[in-house]
Amino acid sequence: MPKLSDTMTEGTLVSWKKKKGDKVSAGEVIAEIETDKATMEWESPEDGTLTEIYVEEGGKVNVGDKIGFIGEEGASEAMSSKEKEEASAKKEDVTNPETDKKEAVKTEKKEKKSQAETEKPAPAKEQKAETAPPEATSQKREPKKAPAKPQGAEEPATSSEEARVKASPVARRLAGELGVDLSTVKGTGPEGRVTESDVRATASQPGRDVSPKRPAQPAALAIKAGQGARINLSGMRKVIAERLVASKAPVPHFYLNINVDAGPLLASRAELKSAGEGADASKITVNDFVLKAAVDAAVKVPKVNASFDGDAIVQYADVDLGIAVAIEDGLLTPVIRAAQNKSLREISELAKDLAHRARNKRMKPEEFQGGSFTVSNLGGMGIDSFSAVINPPQGFILAIGAISKEPVVDNCDQIVVGHRMSIWMSCDHRVIDGALGAEYLKELRHLLENPALLLV
C-alpha cells in the first residue's frame, strides 16, 4: 500500500484496473486507492505481470502492507511457497512441544554434567566451555536484561540527541504533548525530517502509554433509542480534526475585516456576460475575480506570502493559491501552483477543474498539498460574513461572504443602494502583524473595486 499523502496511515483499495495474470507497464494505472483525502489512481512502478492480488476490492490495509505482486509469470507463486515453507519451519521450531521437550532434556543433562565437573578442579577455560551451552539455552527462553544504569545518566544524552533531530515545529510540539522521544522516531519527510504523522505513528505503537500527557477525555455520550446515533469519524474527518486542533490551539490568530464595494465587480461580470461569456461552459464568476485579486495583492505585498517555521519565517517565491472546496465527507484545499503567472481565465479554469475532481475524489497528492494561503468562499451559500481557521503552516486565510444590498452614503453624501461584500482575513501573528495585514487588504480592496486591473 503506497503512502499517497503526508497524513495517510491506511488506504482502501477501491478497485483493480487489472486482473491477476494481466501484463502491466510502468506508469500504467492498475488500481484506485482511497486515502484519507481523496480517491487516486495508482500507477504500476515497473513492467511485468500482476501475478498475485493479496487485497480484494473494498479491503482496507495499512501503508506498507502487501496488496499485490508484479513480476515474471510464476515468480510470485514460487516465492509464496518458499515463504510458506520458511514460516512453517520457523513456527515448528518455536511452538513444537516435542522439540521443546528434547531441548529441555538436553539442557538438563548438560547442566548436571557441568555441575559434576565444576566440583573437580579444572582450568577456567574448560569450565567456561562446559557451562556455556546451558547459558545459551536459557537465553532462548528468557530475554536478556540490559544492565542497570545510574539514574539521570541518560537524560542529557537523550536531550542532545533530540535537539539534533530534524523535525517540524508541529512535530516537536506534538512529541512533547504525547511524551515521544524524537530521537526514536524515523522521519519520512525530506532528508529524514520528522513530521506530525511520524510522531503520531510512533505514539500509537502497542505498549506505549501516552494517557498522562493527554487531557482527560469526556465519557462517550449515551445514545437512547430513537434519539440519534453515534457515527464513527471517517479518515478525512480525523485528519480535519487533527489539523484544526494543530492550528487553532498553538497558532496565534488575529482577525481583520473589510467591506468591499462590489458594484464595479458586478458591472464587469455583467459586461462579460452580455459579450457572450455566459454561453461559455467555463464562464468567469465573481469568485474567480476574488481569487485573481487575492493572488495579485500577495504579489504587491509579498511579505504576507510566508509561513512560520520554528526559528525562521519562510518567504515563498511563488504564490501557491489554496482553494477551500466542500465535499461530502469534509473539506479539501486544492492548490493552484505559481498562480501569479496565470491569467484570470487560467485561474478560473483551473479552479473549476480542481473543485470538480475534489468533489469526485479524483485528485493527485501533489494537487492538495502545500499552498501559500487559502481562500474560503461561503458567499454562494448565503453566509454574509465569517472568519476561518488558518491551514498550517500557511500565514493567513481569507473568508469571503455574500454580496448584499445595503444603504450606503455615496460621494455626494446621498443615501443610495450599494452592493457590499465582507472579507475577513485570519492571520498568524507570528508571521503577519496588523499593519502588514491591513496593507494587504488595502491592495485587495483596490483591485476588487477596480476589476479592469485584473484583466491586464
Side-chain angles (χ1 to χ4, degrees), residues 102 167 195 226 285 332 410 445:
K102 288 177 183 177
T195 64
T285 64
L332 275 179
D410 63 11
R445 184 206 298 272

Side-chain angles (χ1 to χ4, degrees), residues 348-399:
S348 174
E349 291 174 351
L350 283 170
K352 289 176 177 62
D353 175 61
L354 289 170
H356 174 74
R357 288 192 288 115
R359 293 187 181 101
N360 289 280
K361 295 187 176 181
R362 291 292 184 273
M363 296 191 67
K364 298 176 182 178
E366 61 270 17
E367 291 178 325
F368 55 78
Q369 293 176 359
S372 302
F373 65 91
T374 298
V375 175
S376 178
N377 192 335
L378 292 179
M381 298 182 179
I383 301 301
D384 293 328
S385 66
F386 70 103
S387 57
V389 178
I390 298 170
N391 183 18
Q394 296 175 6
F396 73 96
I397 183 171
L398 293 177

Side-chain angles (χ1 to χ4, degrees), residues 13-161:
L13 205 149
V14 178
S15 65
W16 283 102
K17 298 300 182 183
K18 295 289 183 180
K19 297 178 182 177
K20 183 177 177 180
D22 287 353
K23 292 185 177 181
V24 297
S25 303
E28 184 179 7
V29 176
I30 60 174
E32 283 189 346
I33 294 173
E34 183 179 0
T35 71
D36 52 353
K37 294 181 178 178
T39 299
M40 304 176 195
E41 295 178 335
W42 183 53
E43 300 174 350
S44 172
E46 58 186 25
D47 298 333
T49 303
L50 184 61
T51 55
E52 288 292 339
I53 291 178
Y54 300 116
V55 178
E56 297 300 325
E57 294 182 354
K60 182 181 288 188
V61 295
N62 294 327
V63 170
D65 289 354
K66 291 193 292 187
I67 59 174
F69 186 89
I70 298 174
E72 297 179 1
E73 290 187 23
S76 165
E77 285 151 12
M79 185 177 289
S80 296
S81 59
K82 187 178 178 183
E83 285 177 358
K84 286 176 183 176
E85 286 175 11
E86 289 178 358
S88 177
K90 189 176 180 182
K91 187 176 180 183
E92 249 180 70
D93 290 341
V94 175
T95 60
N96 193 336
E98 295 298 325
T99 306
D100 288 347
K101 285 179 183 177
K102 288 177 183 177
E103 284 182 3
V105 171
K106 286 180 182 177
T107 303
E108 190 176 350
K109 285 180 180 178
K110 286 180 180 178
E111 284 176 353
K112 287 180 179 178
K113 185 179 179 181
S114 60
Q115 186 178 358
E117 288 188 3
T118 51
E119 292 174 3
K120 300 177 182 180
K125 288 183 181 177
E126 290 179 12
Q127 187 176 354
K128 185 178 180 182
E130 292 294 336
T131 57
E135 200 171 299
T137 309
S138 62
Q139 282 177 358
K140 291 181 184 176
R141 300 183 178 279
E142 186 175 342
K144 187 176 180 181
K145 293 183 179 178
K149 293 185 180 179
Q151 287 184 356
E154 202 174 334
E155 276 189 23
T158 306
S159 301
S160 60
E161 283 177 12

Side-chain angles (χ1 to χ4, degrees), residues 394-409:
Q394 296 175 6
F396 73 96
I397 183 171
L398 293 177
I400 314 299
I403 297 176
S404 58
K405 291 182 179 180
E406 296 179 4
V408 296
V409 178

Side-chain angles (χ1 to χ4, degrees), residues 177-178 210-218 245:
E177 293 173 356
L178 300 182
V210 296
S211 54
K213 298 285 182 179
R214 292 179 178 270
Q217 298 293 330
V245 170

Side-chain angles (χ1 to χ4, degrees), residues 78-293:
M79 185 177 289
S80 296
S81 59
K82 187 178 178 183
E83 285 177 358
K84 286 176 183 176
E85 286 175 11
E86 289 178 358
S88 177
K90 189 176 180 182
K91 187 176 180 183
E92 249 180 70
D93 290 341
V94 175
T95 60
N96 193 336
E98 295 298 325
T99 306
D100 288 347
K101 285 179 183 177
K102 288 177 183 177
E103 284 182 3
V105 171
K106 286 180 182 177
T107 303
E108 190 176 350
K109 285 180 180 178
K110 286 180 180 178
E111 284 176 353
K112 287 180 179 178
K113 185 179 179 181
S114 60
Q115 186 178 358
E117 288 188 3
T118 51
E119 292 174 3
K120 300 177 182 180
K125 288 183 181 177
E126 290 179 12
Q127 187 176 354
K128 185 178 180 182
E130 292 294 336
T131 57
E135 200 171 299
T137 309
S138 62
Q139 282 177 358
K140 291 181 184 176
R141 300 183 178 279
E142 186 175 342
K144 187 176 180 181
K145 293 183 179 178
K149 293 185 180 179
Q151 287 184 356
E154 202 174 334
E155 276 189 23
T158 306
S159 301
S160 60
E161 283 177 12
E162 200 167 345
R164 289 195 297 269
V165 174
K166 289 184 178 179
S168 66
V170 175
R172 287 187 183 279
R173 184 187 63 255
L174 186 63
E177 293 173 356
L178 300 182
V180 174
D181 181 2
L182 284 176
S183 62
T184 65
V185 181
K186 185 178 179 181
T188 60
E191 299 180 357
R193 187 182 179 93
V194 176
T195 64
E196 178 187 357
S197 56
D198 297 332
V199 176
R200 291 190 184 281
T202 302
S204 63
Q205 288 176 357
R208 180 180 288 275
D209 184 17
V210 296
S211 54
K213 298 285 182 179
R214 292 179 178 270
Q217 298 293 330
L221 296 175
I223 304 296
K224 297 180 180 179
Q227 290 188 356
R230 183 180 175 83
I231 301 172
N232 292 329
L233 292 179
S234 64
M236 176 173 287
R237 289 241 61 95
K238 286 180 182 177
V239 171
I240 290 173
E242 290 171 0
R243 294 284 289 173
L244 292 182
V245 170
S247 171
K248 192 63 177 174
V251 176
H253 285 58
F254 78 94
Y255 309 93
L256 300 173
N257 169 244
I258 57 171
N259 284 319
V260 175
D261 181 3
L265 196 60
L266 293 176
S268 295
R269 177 69 194 92
E271 286 179 16
L272 290 174
K273 188 174 181 180
S274 63
E277 178 70 23
D280 192 347
S282 59
K283 61 184 179 180
I284 294 174
T285 64
V286 170
N287 189 58
D288 297 330
F289 278 100
V290 173
L291 296 178
K292 176 62 175 171

